[in-house]
Amino acid sequence: MAVDALDTRILRLLIEQPRTSVREYARILGIARGTLQARLDRLEREGVITGTGPFLSPAALGHPVLAFVHIEVTQGHLDEVGDALAEVPEIVEAFSITGAGDLLTRVVARDNGHLEDVVQRLIQLPGVVRTRTEMALRERVPHRLLPLVESVGRDVGERR
């Protein structure tokens, strides 16, 4: 999907001022509310905007421990294990991967003992061969997309 300069400005506002109204976004951008709404609808329809709502802090919810658990799965059981992972509330993300292991999960926990309990639960899932856990010490680059949005917007401008 092509993201033009106006789309980039819209996305920047959504990221920087997520609680602002559509009317206020339109005023800030100097465009008609209908134009803005049409752009937002297109960005959602084409999968650029995938959701709205607050970003929550697992640490503030009492789960300050963050770990990445690599999971090796018996051949042919990837879907089963993936479905089972969705039932574990401490798993906040899971991806099929290449390389060492078949799945990579991002796991949050209350403390190290709780993390061990979660990992033990994962090991017992049918189809799981082994796990390897790596604990995060400190977040160095928080989840962000604005630099990518701006890069894509620049690339589109340069191709014209």
Side-chain angles (χ1 to χ4, degrees), residues 3-158:
V3 174
D4 64 16
L6 179 55
D7 292 334
T8 300
R9 291 175 55 213
I10 291 168
L11 293 170
R12 172 186 269 287
L13 272 177
L14 290 173
I15 291 167
E16 292 179 342
Q17 300 177 35
R19 298 177 66 119
T20 303
S21 69
V22 171
R23 176 176 292 168
E24 182 63 10
Y25 287 142
R27 187 194 68 71
I28 292 168
L29 293 166
I31 61 174
R33 185 180 177 282
T35 300
L36 175 61
Q37 191 61 60
R39 291 287 184 124
L40 290 171
D41 291 345
R42 180 180 55 81
L43 290 167
E44 286 180 13
R45 191 174 51 252
E46 295 184 1
V48 174
I49 298 173
T50 58
T52 59
F55 293 102
L56 306 178
S57 164
L61 292 170
H63 289 68
V65 174
L66 171 62
F68 299 92
V69 180
H70 298 257
I71 302 172
E72 188 177 324
V73 176
T74 304
Q75 263 188 324
H77 289 55
L78 194 58
D79 289 338
E80 291 171 37
V81 173
D83 291 343
L85 295 177
E87 301 299 319
V88 180
E90 294 86 357
I91 294 180
V92 295
E93 290 181 298
F95 301 91
S96 298
I97 60 170
T98 61
D102 301 298
L103 294 164
L104 175 63
T105 63
R106 189 169 75 136
V107 178
V108 295
R110 293 185 301 273
D111 53 37
N112 290 353
H114 182 217
L115 176 60
E116 181 182 12
D117 294 342
V118 173
V119 172
Q120 289 301 317
R121 181 175 175 190
L122 298 179
I123 290 169
Q124 294 178 25
L125 293 174
V128 171
V129 175
R130 77 178 45 88
T131 64
R132 187 181 86 244
T133 303
E134 298 168 350
M135 292 186 60
L137 300 176
R138 179 179 296 148
E139 183 177 65
R140 297 295 181 169
V141 178
H143 179 79
R144 72 216 175 109
L145 291 173
L146 186 55
L148 177 64
V149 167
E150 291 174 336
S151 172
V152 169
R154 275 193 306 273
D155 290 348
V156 169
E158 291 171 2

